[in-house]
Amino acid sequence: MVEKSDLIRIDDYRWEIPTSYRDDMRVPVQIFASDALIDQALDDKSMQQAVNASTLPGLVERVVVMPDVHQGYGFPIGGVAASRYPDGIISPGAIGYDINCGVRLLASRIAFEEARQWMDDLASALYANCPSGVGVGGSVRLTVKQLEKVCREGAEWALNNGYARREDLERTEEQGRIDGGQPGKVSTRAKQRGKEQLGTLGAGNHFIEVDVVDKIFNPEAAEAMRLQEGMLALQIHCGSRGFGHQICSDYVKDFQSAVKKYGITLPDRELVCAPLDSPEGKDYLSAMACAANFAFCNRQVLAHHARRSFEQVLAGKVPDWDLTQVYDIAHNMGKMEDHQVGGETVRVCVHRKGATRAFGPGFEGLPETYRPLGQPVLVPGSMGTASWVLTGTQRSMEQSFGSSCHGAGRVMSRSQAKREVWGQDLREQLEEQGIAIRAGSMPGLAEEAPKAYKDVDEVIEVVTNAGIAEKVARLRPVAVIKG
Amino acid sequence: MHPTPYEEIEHTADWALRVRGVTLESLFEHAAQGMLSLLEPGYLDSSPTGRSLELSAIDLETLLVSWLEELLFLIETEKIGFQNYAIRIEGTSLEASFESVPIESIKKDIKAVTYNELEIVHDQEGYRTTIVFDV
């Protein structure tokens, strides 16, 4: 285990594990954390996993660790690593099984006080219209041919089939479509799973949440995002479902042979990888794009159902019941990007696992509305606590490969959470706080109890004080829908 | 005394199972039983049906991952659970027959069987390993 004495403190919010810590490290590990959060990070294997990640071939500069870090499987959740193209590697396990798990935020002009009496009905409508839970089939059943179109087109497929508006796509990372998706690189088994699951939330920590915009910190950015204090907003957190899980599983298994072929030695088999320009690496990038596109489309279809739910419950009761897209962002992804490395612009594959892209102002690829402001960064808190809307900064480009945190970050195991919290008690506590809850499983709810997570506000203080993101707005939950 | 077939151990975010078996075959059987118990299936009152499958892999750890993935796929797509396993392992190939039982639902979801620190260890007591599941 990494000890605190192994760390070098760089400043109030940055720590480093130097390459001298272990012989096989290729780059140092840099952790964004406060005093309290660094102690939590040292409590599990996340730092060891970050050190293991630093042994991947072709990494540049450093492995970056966000303040919401926790132990994952192989690569820590909250980790960022960039590998140089073309000889650096791509590692499916360093992106995660839920490829393009991410968050979408929609804004409204519905005053919470005006709509408060219908929150319970709204929670019920969202729960009924947005399929959730284990093994629950999708609202849109696809043929294999249709699924293959989703693989290539992403959210564009949703637009062409009546589930999206053009503006939704414009306000989505990569416009909701990653180039290079080749369904031929995806197994029959993955397709069999995926064609039943479009438009589903899933279970675990995935959710739909109705929030109130609680406080605005940057009026100019909030206005561009159409976020107004006291108005409702909606978050959707989910990913590529069994389709993405199967693709990652298939390639982690295939790459067990690839590492032998390329003579790559790693401290953990979950980190298996292949060179970016190798046949194996290219195949995974094509398959990963398919899963990423499926996930963009999935959140888009769920957004469509959320709009229907708002209409069903609030039409005629409030002046304007529409939901407009703020942004949709991935937090498990490998992205080909240009970054400054040693004073040169270098093409790299940025692995973000439990970390979001957070590009600063002026970067191409951001929607015109957001380009002068920086990219919206969406950070959901734990159930019942605040969520945050931030923007990326120039400093994030310099310090963290244009990345920021993705959530609160777990500190407690699921089994411990279930031992300490009863789902029904938690539900009553949240309802007493004025939060309507719809959940498929009470033990599942207990696993996601707020005490199982870090304090999201402290995570936000770290990324904003470190300068890799800036506050725009804080959201407060009023209805939570979980599988 | 036989060692505990499987037990859940602490993991911050995911599930980890420590599995033991006197033989390699019993290790694989206990891993399947342990994984199924994590999913908390609700069985339908229906007659079991005989099933079999064959797998081969590049090494024993990959065989174990493949075995559990295969069962997860059957659970998700055919909505069945399993009992009365008869497993034979030769080298890195497996032949298994078991009974499938229809399930009404499962309460929990496993996204994937991971290779995180996965190693099958053989010692005087038999075989043991720890499997981390992404949930």
Side-chain angles (χ1 to χ4, degrees):
Chain A
M1 293 281 278
V2 178
E3 305 286 339
K4 201 165 183 179
S5 56
D6 297 317
L7 305 180
I8 296 166
R9 187 162 203 162
I10 302 171
D11 56 33
D12 285 352
Y13 297 101
R14 284 186 305 159
W15 309 72
E16 185 174 281
I17 307 173
T19 50
S20 56
Y21 172 76
R22 217 171 72 186
D23 286 347
D24 56 348
M25 289 175 74
R26 293 174 195 261
V27 290
V29 172
Q30 197 172 101
I31 309 130
F32 286 91
S34 58
D35 284 293
L37 290 177
I38 198 73
D39 289 340
Q40 286 181 342
L42 290 163
D43 270 352
D44 64 14
K45 289 184 178 172
S46 48
M47 291 302 106
Q48 202 63 45
Q49 293 182 340
V51 169
N52 289 345
S54 76
T55 69
L56 287 164
L59 293 193
V60 297
E61 301 261 332
R62 61 186 79 91
V63 168
V64 178
V65 174
M66 292 299 159
D68 52 333
V69 65
H70 63 78
Q71 181 181 345
Y73 41 85
F75 199 88
I77 312 300
V80 181
S83 56
R84 187 187 295 265
Y85 181 83
D87 52 327
I89 52 78
I90 177 120
S91 169
I95 288 159
Y97 290 90
D98 199 358
I99 297 165
N100 189 6
C101 186
V103 180
R104 175 172 295 220
L105 177 66
L106 298 124
S108 87
R109 296 171 67 186
I110 306 163
F112 171 56
E113 287 306 327
E114 210 176 321
R116 189 177 207 148
Q117 58 188 305
W118 296 296
M119 275 308 113
D120 233 34
D121 296 340
L122 195 55
S124 296
L126 286 163
Y127 190 65
N129 291 331
C130 303
S132 64
V134 183
V136 175
S139 50
V140 186
R141 305 289 171 108
L142 301 171
T143 62
V144 170
K145 273 215 153 124
Q146 286 170 322
L147 174 68
E148 289 179 347
K149 276 178 85 75
V150 173
C151 289
R152 286 187 289 264
E153 297 172 8
E156 190 84 28
W157 184 90
L159 181 68
N160 295 335
N161 288 273
Y163 297 101
R165 303 169 188 169
R166 173 58 63 189
E167 189 194 68
D168 297 342
L169 275 61
E170 287 164 2
R171 291 178 170 225
T172 298
E173 185 171 336
E174 302 292 342
Q175 290 78 51
R177 178 183 176 275
I178 303 272
D179 283 339
Q182 290 183 47
K185 304 300 181 189
V186 173
S187 68
T188 304
R189 183 163 282 194
K191 289 176 189 169
Q192 196 178 335
R193 293 177 73 179
K195 70 189 178 66
E196 307 291 333
Q197 293 183 335
L198 189 66
T200 60
L201 191 60
N205 63 354
H206 294 160
F207 63 80
I208 293 177
E209 188 171 286
V210 183
D211 297 288
V212 184
V213 180
D214 195 35
K215 190 169 180 184
I216 300 285
F217 296 84
N218 179 340
E220 187 193 356
E223 192 183 343
M225 297 178 194
R226 303 188 190 117
L227 292 170
Q228 293 179 55
E229 234 168 69
M231 300 293 169
L232 295 181
L234 181 114
Q235 290 184 90
I236 300 170
H237 173 218
C238 66
S240 49
R241 311 285 291 109
F243 185 63
H245 310 164
Q246 187 67 50
I247 288 172
C248 185
S249 292
D250 291 341
Y251 278 90
V252 169
K253 197 179 294 168
D254 286 355
F255 280 23
Q256 299 295 326
S257 306
V259 284
K260 289 181 181 153
K261 177 177 167 186
Y262 295 106
I264 299 169
T265 308
L266 295 165
D268 187 336
R269 295 181 66 174
E270 186 63 25
L271 291 172
V272 284
C273 55
L276 283 158
D277 67 342
S278 68
E280 294 87 349
K282 286 179 188 168
D283 285 355
Y284 174 69
L285 280 166
S286 298
M288 184 202 70
C290 291
N293 288 337
F294 183 92
F296 282 132
C297 192
N298 191 35
R299 290 195 289 276
Q300 182 62 56
V301 171
L302 287 169
H304 169 80
H305 293 321
R307 283 180 172 139
R308 279 202 306 127
S309 306
F310 270 61
E311 184 172 8
Q312 276 172 17
V313 176
L314 296 174
K317 295 173 183 151
V318 295
D320 179 356
W321 53 88
D322 194 22
L323 292 167
T324 55
Q325 178 106 331
V326 175
Y327 205 57
D328 179 298
I329 190 167
H331 55 227
N332 282 359
M333 192 86 110
K335 300 280 291 284
M336 300 304 301
E337 294 170 3
D338 292 329
H339 285 275
Q340 291 296 308
V341 177
E344 284 177 33
T345 303
V346 175
R347 190 88 176 139
V348 290
C349 178
V350 184
H351 296 66
R352 296 187 180 95
K353 185 178 184 184
T356 64
R357 197 184 72 173
F359 278 5
F363 280 84
E364 275 184 37
L366 298 185
E368 219 169 285
T369 329
Y370 298 145
R371 202 167 298 159
L373 305 163
Q375 180 210 299
V377 175
L378 310 174
V379 188
S382 55
M383 190 168 48
T385 66
S387 294
W388 288 83
V389 183
L390 314 172
T391 45
T393 62
Q394 180 54 39
R395 195 162 167 79
S396 75
M397 307 309 294
E398 294 156 9
Q399 295 288 335
S400 57
F401 302 109
S403 313
S404 187
C405 61
H406 88 307
R410 283 194 82 94
V411 281
M412 188 187 284
S413 72
R414 292 170 191 276
S415 47
Q416 191 186 344
K418 277 194 293 187
R419 282 196 299 274
E420 293 190 13
V421 180
W422 276 104
Q424 191 56 40
D425 289 351
L426 176 62
R427 181 188 178 135
E428 283 166 17
Q429 280 168 25
L430 293 169
E431 283 175 347
E432 275 169 25
Q433 289 173 40
I435 303 169
I437 302 282
R438 296 291 178 278
S441 148
M442 283 302 118
L445 194 71
E447 287 180 15
E448 294 299 320
K451 71 187 293 188
Y453 284 83
K454 297 177 193 184
D455 178 356
V456 70
D457 294 349
E458 189 160 356
V459 170
I460 298 303
E461 287 307 312
V462 171
V463 293
T464 53
N465 286 329
I468 57 172
E470 284 175 2
K471 292 178 187 173
V472 176
R474 187 177 66 208
L475 312 176
R476 176 169 61 83
V478 289
V480 179
I481 288 83
K482 293 189 68 66
Chain B
M1 201 175 84
H2 286 290
T4 313
Y6 58 85
E7 60 186 319
E8 192 181 345
I9 58 171
E10 291 292 307
H11 189 291
T12 316
D14 296 307
W15 282 332
L17 271 188
R18 185 179 292 136
V19 188
R20 295 185 179 89
V22 174
T23 63
L24 206 47
E25 284 81 359
S26 61
L27 181 85
F28 275 56
E29 179 175 345
H30 296 158
Q33 289 169 344
M35 183 179 76
L36 205 60
S37 76
L38 291 173
L39 298 172
E40 299 181 31
Y43 289 97
L44 287 168
D45 188 15
S46 179
S47 305
T49 313
R51 298 283 297 240
S52 62
L53 63 86
E54 291 180 19
L55 295 166
S56 60
I58 55 165
D59 53 42
L60 279 176
E61 285 80 7
T62 301
L63 191 66
L64 180 61
V65 170
S66 300
W67 160 242
L68 297 175
E69 279 181 351
E70 202 67 30
L71 297 180
L72 275 180
F73 182 71
L74 291 172
I75 292 166
E76 180 181 308
T77 55
E78 298 189 25
K79 308 236 178 312
I80 52 173
F82 319 102
Q83 61 186 27
N84 294 332
Y85 304 83
I87 300 171
R88 197 159 67 99
I89 297 172
E90 265 184 37
T92 56
S93 296
L94 169 148
E95 285 177 24
S97 55
F98 47 85
E99 290 175 351
S100 68
V101 189
I103 51 176
E104 189 177 20
S105 62
I106 50 170
K107 286 191 183 152
K108 297 297 174 57
D109 197 14
I110 287 177
K111 290 178 185 167
V113 186
T114 80
Y115 280 82
N116 182 202
E117 296 182 359
L118 184 64
E119 188 183 5
I120 296 174
V121 178
H122 187 198
D123 59 20
Q124 288 178 334
E125 291 182 349
Y127 294 84
R128 64 186 155 85
T129 193
T130 299
I131 308 160
V132 177
F133 298 95
D134 180 21
V135 296

